[in-house]
Amino acid sequence: MPRSPRAMLTFAALSLLGIGTAQAADSRTYAPYAAEPGGKAATVSVSATGKPGARTFHLTSTAPQRENAPSTRIIAEQGPFIRTGDNLFDALFAQAVDDARLASVSSIKDEWYNDRQPIPCPCFETGEKWNYVWTRDLSYALDLGLAGLDPRRAVNSLLFKTGSLRPGVPVPPELPPGSTQIVQDTGSGGSWPVSSDRTSWALGAEAALANLQGAERMEFAAKAFDALRGTLEADRVAIFDARSGLYKGEHSFLDWREQSYAPWVRQNLSALAETKALSTNVTQYRALRLAARLARDFGQTAVAARYDGWADALAVAIDAGFWDAGAGLYATYTSADLTPSLIGKYDLLGNALAVLSGVVPADRATSIFDRYPFAPFGPSVVWPQAPGEYVYHNRAQWPFVTAYAVRAAAQVGHVAAVDRGLAALERAAALHLSNMENLEWLTGKAQFDDGPEINSRRQLWSVGAYYGIVVETIFGWHAGADGVRISPTLTSTMRDRFTGADSVLSNLDYAGRKVEIALILPPKHGPGARYPVASVHLNGTPITGLITATQLRDGINRIEVRFGSPQESGSTVTDIPLIDAVSHAEPRAFMPWTPSIAEAGRSARGVRLDIAPPRDRTPVQYRVLRDGVTLAEDLAGQSWTDPAPPAAALTACYSVVAVHVSTRIASQPSAPACLRGDAAQTLSVGRKAVLGQTLQLGAVTLPAAGRYALGTLYDNHIFALNTGITNAVKRLVLLGADGTRHSAIIQMPHIEPEGDKHPVRPSTRAIFDLPAGRYQVALEDFFNMSGLSTNITYSAPGGSAGPVNEAMIEALTIDKVAGP
């Protein structure tokens, strides 16, 4: 009898774990995606010689290898190792340790740094294809587990991603004396603060500190505190929005504009810079908490209170600003509107980090794993997918994100998500004989259809993901400066994989002492349960709480964990519909094509919008927003009139969202159509260059009090749209006749040329509540990433030839907008 799509998905998931099909202990066969044309099962075989700790594993995969890489791999066991009775499971952990060894280098290099010559650095490089150290890749990898494998290399790598301001770069008065900055790597529109997730560094630093003791810890703690303080204070000035309580900027890791934002954003990066992203705000929260803890360590109680206060408020703002009750998930980001609206897109990293960081109430944490859709071979990093975009962040699985999801699901006891995530991680590592950068979302392949666009073996955060899932999640090793917490996650499905009386993780190191963890295996049980920890013994002695360095003896210290009776979970995950593997716009899994407003104008009846015809024939309805506030829903036609438009003096921006009639999945919002009010002004400044000096933009008179949005029309074509370090970052200052000063940071990111022409675009906006009066307006210098010492060897603009923080200014714009 034919299986239903849901039954087929369940069967496929169980097959990943070796359930439902008889498998030899030294080989495992993985089913293809049910809707993949010509899909074939793939088998991984493993043999082992030698004793645990000194085994040699020989792995062979029948799966296609990316770029025709070898289909076999030989791994000599060294460093930490496991003995579970399952050769493949043991071999894949040895593979992660070996991948980490290959990533442990004495020098790094990148085509844009140091004239392509090696830079001495006993660091972790990012991957086989990425031979440099990148802030977010490194930090997430360390947080996931690699900090514990080699804490000194972790510190070297982290400090490589910090720097001071270069000589001649003005130091903003808000920066604490002696502070440094965390590097935001090259990125969209010239990097920070369009991209603003450099605070992910805090996660790696926190993990490194947890694995250091004594003088080493104190030395790194002092340097970490300097970097965190400088970064947090700069970000507070540059990207904090007091009205929402959130930080602006691109979301973390999903930083390939059109892959996860609306297509029109590519040519309007100021709009991207104005959005607020879940993951980026969570990393800010983590950085604030770590900075507060370090401040207390150094006796700076007032600084600690400052950062804890900011963190407390940010946690509330994250929960309020991103929770989408209809989806049961936290949205990935909000719009750039005057009143930010939730975009109907969700990412697994942001949701998992929010759970792990403690900003999510318990019921919402459970909802995340009940509701986030899983494909048969693991969760994609975003949901739903963008139509027509190739595989990279879109339509992709990334093992490091899956690992964060598993870690978070384990924390809240969601057994189904833990089992499905572990199965995905094992399948990926086994079939591809390495810890790959990413995978196509439906087939789990390293290359299928049109991507992933780039795919590196032994990608550092994927390596950290697999290593940490075994060491920290399954075996429960959680190191800290004050001791080790033992808290393993043993589901009944995972227990059934292990044989013998115990499963052992050996050759761990803590404070110079050797440690092994033995999970004393309980009786087997059917799938869907979790074994609670009943007792922990250290060298035969019962122990509760942390295991401290003073409790460890010379030689090997054995920790034994015993478990209680299995507890049924009852948890389930949401399976995606069974869709064609080569679909690029299936309405059950893809957003509608982003709509556009063909025309907008005022009339006697109100403001009329004409929506351009949809790109395909899939039935959609429309939602209309004004300045981010929904005015109408479920519109079937292509025209709509706002019967109650804003006052004539106010500038208002309209956008539309398309919604699939069949699935209610919503699109990205259209590019805004802005109708300027009678109070709007444009002050031409004659295309002047704003360099390091203050640029006077002229005087402006505001005839009435209210909320005003100020910005520039500018050109910045210093470097490419998708990279660089020369986003122009300036302080817009209004000086009232009475000497009152108002200021805010505006950004003027790179703009892509149109043939041989350089278009002018609007900058980000500075929002002020102002009394009526006359104001002098100026642009003062701030700094960007070209101002950091770490970019002295960068070969593109802003690097070796000196810092660059400039744009060509054509006009100043002033708009009165809705507000108090």
Side-chain angles (χ1 to χ4, degrees):
M1 183 173 66
R3 298 188 184 93
S4 68
R6 189 174 184 89
M8 293 176 73
L9 291 174
T10 302
F11 179 80
L14 294 176
S15 295
L16 297 182
L17 293 167
I19 301 169
T21 56
Q23 299 288 344
D26 59 355
S27 69
R28 188 156 289 110
T29 298
Y30 298 90
Y33 178 57
E36 177 190 350
K40 297 179 181 179
T43 298
V44 176
S45 302
V46 59
S47 62
T49 58
K51 295 181 179 180
R55 287 171 291 185
T56 297
F57 295 104
H58 189 128
L59 288 142
T60 302
S61 172
T62 66
Q65 300 298 302
R66 178 92 180 200
E67 287 123 11
N68 297 315
S71 59
T72 62
R73 181 170 179 178
I74 298 174
I75 300 165
E77 202 168 41
Q78 54 187 305
F81 65 94
I82 59 174
R83 174 186 55 74
T84 66
D86 185 310
N87 273 344
L88 180 60
F89 194 77
D90 293 1
L92 294 180
F93 180 71
Q95 177 175 268
V97 175
D98 194 52
D99 278 352
R101 177 187 63 81
L102 293 171
S104 300
V105 296
S106 59
S107 63
I108 55 175
K109 62 181 179 180
D110 181 78
E111 63 176 328
W112 291 103
Y113 282 91
N114 201 39
D115 294 326
R116 302 188 179 188
Q117 296 304 303
I119 301 170
C121 183
C123 294
F124 286 115
E125 69 175 8
T126 301
E128 185 180 69
K129 293 184 177 180
W130 307 99
N131 307 125
Y132 201 61
V133 179
W134 302 111
T135 299
R136 73 171 68 96
D137 300 61
L138 167 73
S139 302
Y140 289 136
L142 298 182
D143 181 46
L144 284 164
L146 288 188
L149 185 62
D150 192 341
R152 291 167 186 83
R153 190 175 297 274
V155 167
N156 294 338
S157 306
L158 287 164
L159 293 179
F160 183 78
K161 302 308 298 184
T162 65
S164 57
L165 293 180
R166 295 163 72 169
V169 175
V171 179
E174 296 89 348
L175 299 190
S179 65
T180 56
Q181 295 286 316
I182 299 165
V183 176
Q184 183 76 48
D185 290 314
T186 57
S188 296
S191 186
W192 184 83
V194 171
S195 299
S196 55
D197 72 334
R198 58 184 180 152
T199 44
S200 59
W201 187 92
L203 280 70
E206 188 172 18
L209 287 165
N211 286 278
L212 296 169
Q213 290 82 34
E216 280 187 315
R217 185 184 188 279
M218 291 303 296
E219 180 181 358
F220 176 60
K223 294 177 180 178
F225 185 51
D226 286 343
L228 287 166
R229 285 201 71 187
T231 298
L232 290 169
E233 297 294 344
D235 282 359
R236 194 73 172 187
V237 176
I239 56 173
F240 181 68
D241 174 29
R243 291 180 300 130
S244 66
L246 297 169
Y247 291 82
K248 303 174 187 177
E250 195 170 34
H251 46 199
S252 186
F253 135 74
L254 300 169
D255 61 331
W256 198 327
R257 297 135 309 278
E258 54 271 37
Q259 282 274 307
S260 46
Y261 290 86
W264 60 267
V265 168
R266 177 182 176 86
Q267 303 302 336
N268 296 270
L269 290 183
S270 293
L272 188 157
E274 297 262 36
T275 63
K276 287 96 176 177
L278 171 64
S279 52
T280 299
N281 275 273
V282 174
T283 66
Q284 285 281 345
Y285 172 83
R286 292 287 292 273
L288 287 166
R289 288 296 192 211
L290 178 57
R293 287 197 295 274
L294 292 176
R296 284 192 292 274
D297 288 348
F298 292 118
Q300 299 189 33
T301 56
V303 174
R306 173 184 176 86
Y307 292 147
D308 271 334
W310 288 1
D312 290 342
L314 181 56
V316 173
I318 289 171
D319 187 50
F322 294 105
W323 178 248
D324 185 334
L329 299 163
Y330 288 86
T332 291
Y333 56 95
T334 68
S335 71
D337 292 303
L338 195 63
T339 301
S341 62
L342 291 177
I343 309 298
K345 197 172 188 78
Y346 313 93
D347 77 285
L348 191 55
L349 177 64
N351 276 271
L353 288 178
V355 172
L356 291 165
S357 302
V359 299
V360 175
D363 59 334
R364 293 184 177 180
T366 300
S367 173
I368 287 168
F369 295 107
D370 287 343
R371 301 286 293 276
Y372 194 92
F374 274 63
F377 308 136
S380 58
V381 293
V382 295
W383 175 265
Q385 310 305 318
E389 290 293 336
Y390 50 81
V391 180
Y392 188 61
H393 293 142
N394 193 55
R395 296 166 49 212
Q397 299 175 42
W398 289 64
F400 93 92
V401 176
T402 302
Y404 269 119
V406 171
R407 181 188 278 189
Q411 181 172 296
V412 301
H414 200 289
V415 170
V418 170
D419 282 342
R420 290 285 288 270
L422 289 174
L425 291 168
E426 180 197 289
R427 185 182 195 275
L431 290 177
H432 302 107
L433 304 178
S434 186
N435 291 281
M436 302 297 293
E437 183 175 357
N438 46 29
L439 307 158
E440 195 273 337
W441 79 301
L442 293 175
T443 64
K445 292 184 175 181
Q447 178 72 59
F448 178 76
D449 191 20
D450 56 10
E453 176 76 0
I454 302 169
N455 207 339
S456 178
R457 290 176 181 79
R458 59 173 177 81
Q459 189 75 359
L460 193 68
W461 50 21
S462 300
V463 178
Y466 203 97
Y467 179 84
I469 280 298
V470 174
V471 172
E472 297 187 8
T473 303
I474 295 176
F475 281 88
W477 173 265
H478 301 281
D482 297 328
V484 179
R485 177 173 58 90
I486 304 298
S487 180
T489 297
L490 185 64
T491 71
S492 51
T493 298
M494 183 54 61
R495 188 268 170 265
D496 288 352
R497 289 286 303 277
F498 302 154
T499 62
D502 60 14
S503 288
V504 182
L505 166 63
S506 299
N507 211 22
L508 297 174
D509 182 274
Y510 185 76
R513 304 296 176 91
K514 291 297 181 182
V515 182
E516 67 178 20
I517 303 174
L519 306 182
I520 308 304
L521 296 176
K524 292 185 177 182
H525 185 79
R530 179 178 182 173
Y531 295 92
V533 173
S535 66
V536 178
H537 288 70
L538 171 63
N539 298 325
T541 301
I543 194 164
T544 59
L546 295 177
I547 297 174
T548 65
T550 58
Q551 294 172 293
L552 300 178
R553 64 191 184 192
D554 292 337
I556 296 175
N557 293 268
R558 181 177 171 89
I559 299 170
E560 291 188 348
V561 183
R562 290 175 171 78
F563 298 89
S565 300
Q567 297 176 347
E568 296 290 343
S569 167
S571 59
T572 59
V573 299
T574 298
D575 288 310
I576 67 158
L578 188 67
I579 66 171
D580 190 334
V582 294
S583 172
H584 296 173
E586 160 67 61
R588 291 177 294 169
F590 287 78
M591 306 176 101
W593 297 94
T594 302
S596 61
I597 297 174
E599 188 173 356
R602 300 181 190 272
S603 69
R605 297 178 55 200
V607 171
R608 176 186 169 93
L609 303 181
D610 291 327
I611 304 169
R615 182 164 173 171
D616 63 20
R617 296 183 178 180
T618 306
V620 295
Q621 295 175 330
Y622 296 99
R623 181 185 308 149
V624 180
L625 301 93
R626 184 178 71 211
D627 291 330
V629 177
T630 299
L631 300 181
E633 294 193 84
D634 301 331
L635 300 177
Q638 301 301 120
S639 295
W640 178 81
T641 298
D642 183 354
L650 300 181
T651 293
C653 295
Y654 291 84
S655 59
V656 295
V657 171
V659 181
H660 283 310
V661 172
S662 60
T663 63
R664 307 307 297 169
I665 291 175
S667 75
Q668 300 273 5
S670 70
C674 297
L675 300 177
R676 300 191 76 191
D678 295 344
Q681 303 178 53
T682 300
L683 180 63
S684 176
V685 297
R687 205 170 178 84
K688 292 182 180 178
V690 53
L691 305 173
Q693 76 282 6
T694 297
L695 176 66
Q696 298 294 336
L697 298 180
V700 60
T701 298
L702 304 181
R707 177 165 289 173
Y708 289 86
L710 282 79
T712 65
L713 297 176
Y714 78 97
D715 173 28
N716 177 356
H717 62 273
I718 291 170
F719 201 49
L721 178 102
N722 65 330
T723 188
I725 55 174
T726 46
N727 176 17
V729 187
K730 300 293 179 177
R731 200 188 301 257
L732 181 68
V733 177
L734 280 76
L735 190 63
D738 61 355
T740 304
R741 177 184 167 96
H742 305 269
S743 70
I745 298 299
I746 65 167
Q747 302 178 54
M748 294 170 279
H750 297 168
I751 298 171
E752 192 167 54
E754 295 178 352
D756 59 352
K757 297 180 179 175
H758 300 293
V760 170
R761 303 279 190 226
S763 69
T764 61
R765 300 182 297 176
I767 309 293
F768 301 109
D769 293 322
L770 299 169
R774 186 172 176 83
Y775 297 85
Q776 294 292 328
V777 186
L779 286 177
E780 297 178 354
D781 211 16
F782 199 62
F783 75 94
N784 61 14
M785 286 294 104
S786 77
L788 296 195
S789 58
T790 50
N791 282 316
I792 287 176
T793 66
Y794 184 54
S795 61
S800 55
V804 175
N805 186 18
E806 64 184 66
M808 297 295 295
I809 308 299
E810 184 165 290
L812 170 71
T813 60
I814 306 101
D815 289 88
K816 191 176 185 184
V817 296

